[in-house]
Amino acid sequence: MNDTGNPFADEPTWEPWDEPDGDTGTSESGEEYPQVDIAAAVAQYTLGLNPEQTDAVRTLTGPLIVIAGPGSGKTRVLTHRIALLVASNTAAPWQILAVTFTNKAAEEMRERVAHLLPEVDPRRMWVSTFHAFCAKFLRIECEAAGLPSAYTILDTSDVRTLLREIHGALNMPTEPGELRASAGIISRIKNGMPVKPDATMSKVLDAYQSRLARLGALDFDDLLLRTKELLEANPDVRGRWQNRFTSILVDEYQDTNPVQYAIVGMLAAKHRNICVVGDADQAIYGFRAATPEALTNFQNDWGADTKVVKLGENYRSTPEILAVCQSIIDGNPSGLRPELRTGNEHGDPVRVIVHADDRNEARFVADEIKQDLRRGTTAVLMRTNAQTRSFEEALIVDGTPYAVVGALRFYERAEIKDAISYLRLAVNPTDMLALTRAVGAPRRGIGPKTLEALEIEADGNNLIETLRILVTENRTGRGRAGWEDLLALLDRLNEAIDTLGPVAALNVILDAGLREYVRRHSGENAEDRVENLDELLNAAAEFTRSIGENAIDENDQPYTPRRLTELFLERIALTASSEEAENGPAGCVQLLTAHASKGKEFDTVHVVGVEENLFPHGRRGEVADENEERRLLFVACSRARKHLTLHRARQRFVHGNVISNDESRFLADLPAEVQHIDRSRTWPGNVVFGSRAPRPGTRGEQWGRPGRYGGRGATTNRNTASPSTRTGGTQTRDPSSTQSSSPPINDDPRLDAARTGVGERVRHTRFGIGTVTALTGKSGEEIVTICFGDGQERQFKLSLAPLQTEE
């Protein structure tokens, strides 16, 4: 920081553009800069945009709300607006703050802006996620925030470890479910949700915050909360950052929670040049305290001069898919909904397929995917993670490569966390969690009692220096050799961090025994886990290259190797703590929840389990927020570009029991052109119900309006088959009726109740051989209980389970 105390004082000033005189423009501060041809800049950065997009890009000052329907090109609007802000001298690159919610969206925005403004160094621009912005803000303002400059950002597993210790100390249950519940309550409190903790939970929260302070650490929610608190409490800091950013842009504004909402409001209060982009119909994160009201109340918050632009033209989906999306979301009230339209070609009809049970649902989807690999990217979207199992099994049988999106991520793997723990400890020597993990990989004969004694001795201060004193004074007992080995490694590690940076530091860690330890203790997965460590090295090298050799920090000083290491750890923490779902490998079928599908798109989408109690999610017909569940289905369906199928099963195996669910209430709102196919009653044929009359009060009768979803060369009568409709009107291609090696859906063996008794040996196609221990239920609805060779008892509906007598 410079002598003025302002971290931005050394940056060149750049006042907003005003009417230029002669060959140069003169800013309010008296500085001159080359005259800008505003008309040429506007023409350049609105070229190819539709009228609504152009209107949003050209509106550079004042409050602006852009309502962006799915697939309407909102990222293009944001990036072109940033480019025009700079090209018109309305704002300097470093005076623009653009925030969004996912790392992928932020990276895409940075890349597009860099392409549009090749003369501008993108590293000087503030384009990031909310959490990354707050992490950087708190590093700069660490002194005012009362934080160490190298504070640690804890990920989800670190939080669980802390809570396990706290629960144990308070004689509370330490089961994973109990820890998740406590973590959830703490998160909701920090995110501004109306939660009143009881006396026990208050003790947990107090102990948790005390431990964070001793560790010199923040959790993911603290990044937001501490930023908000500092801006509210310190007028100097608030004024400094208000002056810093003269133009603020917020993507996915409907996803802001009360804390993020307050941060944006304070930063934009002085200049009032704020542009928010979002869609209240895509607000699906109520569990994070985000509500559609953040978007719908924007006009009230910012006054009568607020401009509203609606982006309704969809560039992603076929007219058939868009009609389904509109019919679903029309069931929710909205005052800001754009009228969705598209110029895309017509495609296949959207289908709703009914299956006998969830096993048949999974097999049908897997068989259809296997038989038609020409459909490009394919996703199976579901309401809950628990639904993935049956689809994984079906895809494995068919030999179809797949990826469970949002499963264990790279930085959550044990060997990666082991390596990172050493870096964390070297950078922040008060991080007891990092020390505890480091001493066990590889094992050094240091037990929990010795670690506890060290923590007490350090009392929140430097653990490494405290340890050095204890070793010198011979107060470490039998663990002395292990402690000496660790201290020697940390000395080499700190030297590498200070002189070379994160890549060299990681090499020190791996060469000191971690690579060999992982190889010896990982069984048949040893080489894969060692390769993960090598990939961590690659990640550090790529990060260093992305920063660049001549990069400077916020104080115009070159990055030191230690600072690069700190930033690398910050990048890891923000990636690991994010709930953003990563994409699977290219060419794989993607299995993911509807929540995780936000921001993604696929050529073919199967939305499965569209049933009451599942989608909408609830229990015995009670749904916590029907409007949000409807928005979630809208989001899921709008991910599809060319092909969309919704599936439901008449029966489903849940928590060891067979249950029956009615079709989702949302299916009644679909337009008449949707094909309804019942595969649950007959084989091999289908029962095609054809056109269903729309429910009274819906907009199902309006799909024939010309121009709304007409597409290129469309007729005004949507009941007339388009020449480009590949399925020939109401005929539905049945993959299983074509020549295929896949067996019929219901060809698995079944046991007859009259010939099944307790003690009988049976074989299940998946679980193997077992013994019948019970048979209950009325005729035709019998439930059989079987104990298999693994000692586990499982229940099945006898008429559906793939069972046969073991000879």
Side-chain angles (χ1 to χ4, degrees):
M1 185 173 292
N2 51 57
D3 295 337
T4 67
N6 183 348
F8 313 127
D10 293 333
E11 291 186 341
T13 59
W14 189 319
E15 298 296 333
W17 175 85
D18 54 17
E19 201 67 34
D21 297 320
D23 294 332
T24 61
T26 304
S27 71
E28 295 177 4
S29 62
E31 293 177 280
E32 292 186 348
Y33 46 82
Q35 180 177 346
V36 173
D37 187 339
I38 299 299
V42 170
Q44 177 181 355
Y45 293 112
T46 59
L47 182 66
L49 303 183
N50 66 37
E52 293 86 2
Q53 293 172 331
T54 297
D55 193 13
V57 169
R58 287 172 58 101
T59 305
L60 299 181
T61 58
L64 170 67
I65 176 172
V66 180
I67 309 300
S72 61
K74 66 180 178 66
T75 304
R76 192 177 190 193
V77 167
L78 281 166
T79 52
H80 281 242
R81 193 173 185 275
I82 292 171
L84 187 55
L85 282 167
V86 174
S88 65
N89 282 350
T90 302
W94 51 86
Q95 290 179 313
I96 300 170
L97 172 64
V99 289
T100 187
F101 279 82
T102 68
N103 294 308
K104 177 184 176 183
E107 185 60 33
E108 181 182 2
M109 205 181 301
R110 280 192 295 269
E111 290 176 356
R112 290 203 197 183
V113 170
H115 177 74
L116 292 169
L117 297 171
E119 72 283 0
V120 174
D121 185 349
R123 293 170 298 190
R124 300 299 301 273
M125 304 188 72
W126 292 66
V127 180
S128 68
T129 64
F130 261 105
H131 290 88
F133 163 73
C134 291
K136 188 172 182 179
F137 169 88
L138 291 173
R139 299 279 184 204
I140 295 171
E141 300 289 356
C142 58
E143 185 176 344
L147 292 169
S149 60
Y151 64 82
T152 298
I153 302 173
L154 301 187
D155 63 19
T156 303
S157 64
D158 293 325
V159 169
R160 283 198 299 265
T161 298
L162 274 187
L163 288 174
R164 187 179 297 109
E165 296 175 6
I166 292 167
H167 274 222
L170 295 174
N171 294 317
M172 295 173 61
T174 57
E175 287 77 16
E178 297 290 337
L179 301 179
R180 283 195 300 271
S182 290
I185 292 172
I186 292 171
S187 180
R188 288 194 290 274
I189 290 172
K190 291 185 177 184
N191 282 299
M193 297 182 74
V195 179
K196 184 173 178 61
D198 58 24
T200 301
M201 193 62 222
S202 294
K203 292 180 181 178
V204 172
L205 180 58
D206 289 344
Y208 177 74
Q209 291 302 113
S210 176
R211 289 284 283 132
L212 287 179
R214 289 172 65 88
L215 288 168
L218 301 178
D219 64 25
F220 210 46
D221 296 318
D222 280 326
L223 295 173
L224 302 175
L225 183 59
R226 295 292 288 271
T227 297
K228 170 182 174 287
E229 290 175 341
L230 182 55
L231 289 172
E232 287 176 334
N234 193 315
D236 291 337
V237 171
R238 184 171 63 250
R240 187 156 60 235
W241 289 81
Q242 287 176 338
N243 289 329
R244 165 67 181 231
F245 298 121
T246 61
S247 293
I248 295 177
L249 302 91
V250 185
D251 188 19
E252 302 286 6
Y253 192 68
Q254 77 280 351
D255 293 337
T256 53
N257 63 32
V259 178
Q260 293 159 331
Y261 182 87
I263 291 170
V264 170
M266 284 186 281
L267 291 175
K270 179 176 181 179
H271 295 285
R272 291 178 53 81
N273 295 325
I274 177 171
C275 167
V276 301
V277 181
D279 182 5
D281 290 332
Q282 298 186 64
I284 59 173
Y285 296 116
F287 59 90
R288 298 184 197 160
T291 67
E293 284 70 30
L295 197 66
T296 56
N297 289 341
F298 185 81
Q299 287 174 282
N300 294 332
D301 295 337
W302 292 92
D305 60 334
T306 299
K307 183 169 183 176
V308 179
V309 177
K310 296 182 181 180
L311 307 181
E313 183 165 2
N314 180 287
Y315 295 93
R316 176 187 300 156
S317 305
T318 65
E320 289 78 6
I321 293 170
L322 200 61
V324 166
C325 295
Q326 184 84 59
S327 70
I328 290 170
I329 202 58
D330 276 347
N332 277 1
S334 175
L336 287 174
R337 179 171 299 137
E339 191 80 0
L340 301 181
R341 64 187 189 279
T342 186
N344 292 336
E345 297 286 350
H346 282 289
D348 292 344
V350 175
R351 302 174 297 171
V352 175
I353 301 181
V354 183
H355 306 276
D357 56 35
D358 52 335
R359 185 168 49 84
N360 287 320
E361 175 189 55
R363 283 188 49 183
F364 174 84
V365 171
D367 287 347
E368 183 162 281
I369 291 170
K370 180 181 180 181
Q371 291 176 35
D372 194 350
L373 299 179
R374 297 170 300 169
R375 292 196 168 192
T377 56
T378 301
V380 181
L381 308 186
M382 54 207 69
R383 180 60 181 83
T384 68
N385 280 307
Q387 293 170 258
T388 62
R389 181 190 58 79
S390 60
F391 292 94
E392 289 187 70
E393 293 171 356
L395 291 166
I396 288 172
V397 168
D398 283 351
T400 302
Y402 71 91
V404 181
V405 179
L408 186 66
R409 293 188 286 262
F410 179 77
Y411 291 115
E412 294 174 341
R413 293 181 170 96
E415 63 275 14
I416 301 302
K417 292 181 72 66
D418 289 341
I420 291 169
S421 67
Y422 286 94
L423 285 184
R424 278 176 44 175
L425 179 60
V427 167
N428 177 12
T430 64
D431 189 344
M432 187 66 196
L433 289 178
L435 174 61
T436 301
R437 186 161 195 127
V439 297
R443 298 185 181 94
R444 292 181 169 82
I446 299 168
K449 290 185 177 180
T450 308
L451 286 169
E452 183 179 356
L454 172 60
E455 185 175 14
I456 292 172
E457 184 76 22
D459 193 25
N461 295 310
N462 191 307
L463 290 162
I464 298 175
E465 293 309 313
T466 302
L467 175 59
R468 205 179 303 276
I469 293 171
L470 294 180
V471 169
T472 302
E473 297 178 355
N474 199 25
R475 294 165 55 193
T476 51
R478 290 180 296 177
R480 180 185 177 94
W483 285 125
E484 289 178 336
D485 175 68
L486 179 63
L487 284 172
L489 171 57
L490 289 171
D491 287 340
R492 297 197 304 275
L493 179 57
N494 271 300
E495 182 180 0
I497 290 173
D498 285 331
T499 57
L500 297 172
V503 176
L506 283 171
N507 272 314
V508 168
I509 296 166
L510 301 187
D511 293 344
L514 181 59
R515 183 185 279 112
E516 189 57 34
Y517 169 76
V518 168
R519 181 175 281 114
R520 289 199 316 268
H521 292 85
S522 300
E524 62 184 19
N525 296 322
E527 290 309 312
D528 288 340
R529 296 182 69 181
V530 170
E531 287 179 6
N532 287 338
L533 292 175
D534 292 332
E535 184 58 30
L536 180 61
L537 280 172
N538 292 337
E542 289 177 9
F543 173 79
T544 303
R545 283 196 299 270
S546 71
I547 296 295
E549 294 181 1
N550 301 316
I552 56 175
D553 63 15
E554 56 276 356
N555 297 321
D556 289 332
Q557 299 298 315
Y559 281 119
T560 65
R562 178 166 289 272
R563 182 68 175 130
L564 280 175
T565 307
E566 292 172 357
L567 289 173
F568 178 59
L569 286 173
E570 181 179 293
R571 171 74 64 86
I572 290 173
L574 292 172
T575 302
S577 298
S578 171
E579 295 183 22
E580 178 180 355
E582 298 174 356
N583 288 320
C588 287
V589 176
Q590 312 283 298
L591 305 181
L592 66 165
T593 65
H595 279 104
S597 73
K598 182 77 175 292
K600 302 178 185 297
E601 57 182 49
F602 307 92
D603 293 316
T604 298
V605 169
H606 295 271
V607 184
V608 299
V610 189
E611 306 151 21
E612 287 295 298
N613 302 316
L614 190 55
F615 212 151
H617 197 260
R619 183 171 295 179
R620 293 186 291 276
E622 295 295 325
V623 178
D625 189 338
E626 180 177 328
N627 287 346
E628 179 156 322
E629 291 292 314
R630 184 183 290 275
R631 294 194 294 269
L632 188 56
L633 183 59
F634 170 71
V635 167
C637 292
S638 65
R639 302 306 95 193
R641 283 193 286 256
K642 299 177 181 178
H643 313 282
L644 172 64
T645 305
L646 290 82
H647 302 264
R648 62 167 289 243
R650 294 190 180 276
Q651 294 181 320
R652 192 168 293 276
F653 201 66
V654 179
H655 302 310
N657 298 304
V658 176
I659 63 171
S660 297
N661 288 330
D662 294 330
E663 72 169 25
S664 169
R665 65 193 72 179
F666 303 140
L667 294 181
D669 294 332
L670 300 185
E673 292 87 350
V674 170
Q675 293 183 351
H676 297 268
I677 305 166
D678 192 336
R679 298 177 57 86
S680 68
R681 302 185 186 282
T682 61
W683 179 262
N686 294 328
V687 179
V688 181
F689 290 99
S691 296
R692 176 192 293 185
R695 190 174 69 179
T698 69
R699 303 174 64 172
E701 71 280 3
Q702 299 180 5
W703 303 133
R705 287 193 337 202
R708 189 176 185 200
Y709 304 102
R712 298 179 178 86
T715 65
T716 58
N717 183 357
R718 287 293 315 284
N719 291 322
T720 302
S722 165
S724 63
T725 300
R726 291 181 290 277
T727 54
T730 60
Q731 300 300 313
T732 301
R733 186 175 65 83
D734 182 358
S736 55
S737 66
T738 61
Q739 293 181 354
S740 170
S741 60
S742 300
I745 278 191
N746 288 313
D747 74 335
D748 283 330
R750 297 290 190 276
L751 286 182
D752 185 341
R755 294 183 294 170
T756 303
V758 174
E760 186 167 1
R761 298 270 289 173
V762 296
R763 178 184 292 276
H764 188 282
T765 56
R766 175 176 175 233
F767 298 110
I769 298 173
T771 302
V772 175
T773 59
L775 185 65
T776 58
K778 62 182 181 180
S779 177
E781 299 291 332
E782 294 91 346
I783 301 297
V784 62
T785 304
I786 302 171
C787 182
F788 291 95
D790 59 2
Q792 297 293 316
E793 282 194 336
R794 297 176 174 87
Q795 289 185 322
F796 307 92
K797 187 168 184 179
L798 192 61
S799 62
L800 297 177
L803 294 163
Q804 59 185 353
T805 302
E806 176 67 12
E807 302 297 338

